[in-house]
Amino acid sequence: MTALHAAAADLASGVRTPEEMAGNLGFLQLDLTDPEFRACAAAQAGRMRAELAALLGDAAAAGELAPGTDAEDLARTVQVAYNGALLLWAVEGGGGGGPLRAELDRVLRPHRT
């Protein structure tokens, strides 16, 4: 799970302030309204989910996740939690990567061994 936390922290490293999150949301508006940008955003989201699934698969192979855990399904849940945690952090405030890590741990808790 260490690799998953490190990857999430690395992805979020470009969002250090609520203002930086607002800038990302401005780009998201473009992604949603321009078909070419939307295709790029969808591809990036798919790559992120595939990387998360690979990390979760590694965690399952290492015995860190319960037998039978569907890494691809859990990857989507982790991706949703990651994005939601960033939004809540920007709105509510909070320090560093703690809130992101806590949200990921909350999502993963039922699947851990």
Side-chain angles (χ1 to χ4, degrees):
M1 302 316 305
T2 301
L4 179 70
H5 285 113
D10 188 51
L11 284 169
S13 67
V15 183
R16 295 176 303 267
T17 67
E19 293 78 15
E20 288 177 345
M21 186 65 189
N24 284 351
L25 292 174
F27 280 108
L28 179 60
Q29 283 183 302
L30 291 173
D31 291 340
L32 296 177
T33 57
D34 181 285
E36 288 181 49
F37 286 150
R38 187 174 186 163
C40 291
Q44 189 277 335
R47 286 190 303 274
M48 179 183 179
R49 194 164 38 258
E51 289 297 323
L52 290 171
L55 291 170
L56 291 165
D58 291 346
E64 296 178 281
L65 295 175
T69 298
D70 184 336
E72 291 190 20
D73 187 55
L74 185 55
R76 184 174 186 88
T77 302
V78 167
Q79 188 175 24
V80 169
Y82 167 85
N83 286 306
L86 286 178
L87 286 173
L88 284 176
W89 162 82
V91 171
E92 296 176 346
L100 177 57
R101 184 181 181 93
E103 289 303 326
L104 294 179
D105 285 342
R106 185 174 289 117
V107 165
L108 294 170
R109 190 175 304 125
H111 303 280
R112 295 189 81 159
T113 53

